[in-house]
Amino acid sequence: MAAVQFAAAGVLTGLLALATLASCNTDGDILYKQRLAWEDPNNVLQSWDPTLANPCTWFHVTCNLNNSVIRVDLGKAGISGPLLPDLGALESLQYMELFGNSLNGSIPSTLGNLTDLISLDLWDNLLTGPIPTTLGSISTLRYLRLYENNLTGPIPPSFGNLTSLLELKLHRNSLSGSIPASLGNIKSLQFLKLNENMLTGTVPLEVLSLVVVGNLTELNIARNNLDGTVRSSGLRVTAVIQDMRIA
């Protein structure tokens, strides 16, 4: 009987160990799946080995004390391919630095599930399609930089919920529609760059008020299809960049 109980205990211990391993390796499974979807001519992802218990020893990946991924740093790494929706399940991710590559396809709406995200840097890629409205639910975001892509459609009004944002840089895309008045809710905003798109209408007074009641130091709306002109109403603003129009 004792031998049977000992064997049963051993099996239970083994099952618990496997369950723990699987739990720890969830982030690694997601990143390895993403690796398989990318072209990696420079072999920067060579260390992303799925047989390890967790991805914390991989290059370009940083973990917290719980072995959960908090950073992915692959700026200017030469990678290409799509962003998988699975990335939205990296529950502890704080920094997604994928700028300066050749990433294509759309931005997955599931990235709005990254509720700890501080910085989303997808600038200078080949991304297309609309900006997901779900990104407006990431209240921790401080840096949202999606410029120099081929993004289309409107600027999501939900971005007005990003009340911790310091930089919103969407310039050099093909965005259309009006500038959401809700952006005026972001009193923390220091840089708002919307230039070189196809935006129409006027600049909302709520956005211009950030010059006085917020921390805005640069508003760039040049090279759009906006009506009228914009003037600075506060000395703190170092640059309000606009189209020059002749009456």
Side-chain angles (χ1 to χ4, degrees):
M1 180 65 68
V4 173
Q5 290 177 337
F6 181 79
V11 170
L12 180 60
T13 301
L15 290 174
L16 288 174
L18 287 173
T20 301
L21 178 61
S23 175
C24 290
N25 203 27
T26 301
D27 288 356
D29 291 341
I30 293 169
L31 291 180
Y32 183 66
K33 184 177 180 181
Q34 179 64 82
R35 175 193 172 181
L36 295 178
W38 279 338
E39 295 293 330
D40 177 28
N42 299 326
N43 291 322
V44 297
L45 304 177
Q46 191 172 16
S47 66
W48 289 24
D49 183 350
T51 65
L52 300 177
N54 60 63
C56 301
T57 59
W58 297 358
F59 292 146
H60 314 292
V61 173
T62 304
C63 293
N64 60 18
L65 295 178
N66 295 320
N67 293 328
S68 296
V69 173
I70 59 172
R71 292 188 68 114
V72 176
D73 290 288
L74 286 168
K76 299 183 178 180
I79 55 177
S80 61
L83 296 171
L84 297 184
D86 306 64
L87 294 173
L90 296 173
E91 297 179 353
S92 299
L93 193 66
Q94 298 177 19
Y95 295 87
M96 183 180 287
E97 307 297 324
L98 301 176
F99 56 87
N101 289 293
S102 296
L103 302 179
N104 54 44
S106 60
I107 300 174
S109 62
T110 54
L111 297 190
N113 297 329
L114 301 174
T115 55
D116 289 338
L117 200 63
I118 295 172
S119 177
L120 179 58
D121 273 318
L122 300 178
W123 53 272
D124 190 17
N125 278 288
L126 304 172
L127 296 169
T128 57
I131 300 174
T133 60
T134 54
L135 298 183
S137 64
I138 310 176
S139 60
T140 53
L141 262 183
R142 301 182 70 187
Y143 306 96
L144 179 54
R145 294 177 281 224
L146 307 177
Y147 60 92
E148 294 182 6
N149 279 286
N150 298 309
L151 299 173
T152 56
I155 299 171
S158 62
F159 280 8
N161 298 323
L162 302 176
T163 54
S164 297
L165 206 61
L166 299 177
E167 295 185 13
L168 178 57
K169 296 184 176 181
L170 306 177
H171 52 291
R172 296 179 183 168
N173 279 289
S174 297
L175 301 175
S176 57
S178 59
I179 299 173
S182 60
L183 298 184
N185 297 332
I186 314 175
K187 302 300 188 293
S188 58
L189 199 60
Q190 297 176 4
F191 297 93
L192 177 57
K193 301 191 68 173
L194 306 176
N195 51 295
E196 298 184 52
N197 280 289
M198 298 186 295
L199 301 173
T200 55
T202 59
V203 182
L205 292 176
E206 293 87 346
V207 174
L208 292 176
S209 73
L210 295 177
V211 171
V212 177
V213 300
N215 295 302
L216 199 63
T217 58
E218 182 177 339
L219 168 61
N220 192 332
I221 55 170
R223 299 186 183 180
N224 279 286
N225 298 315
L226 296 166
D227 298 327
T229 60
V230 181
R231 297 183 184 275
S232 170
S233 57
L235 296 177
R236 185 167 63 247
V237 170
T238 59
V240 177
I241 304 170
Q242 63 190 32
D243 293 324
M244 298 302 295
R245 297 183 184 272
I246 300 175

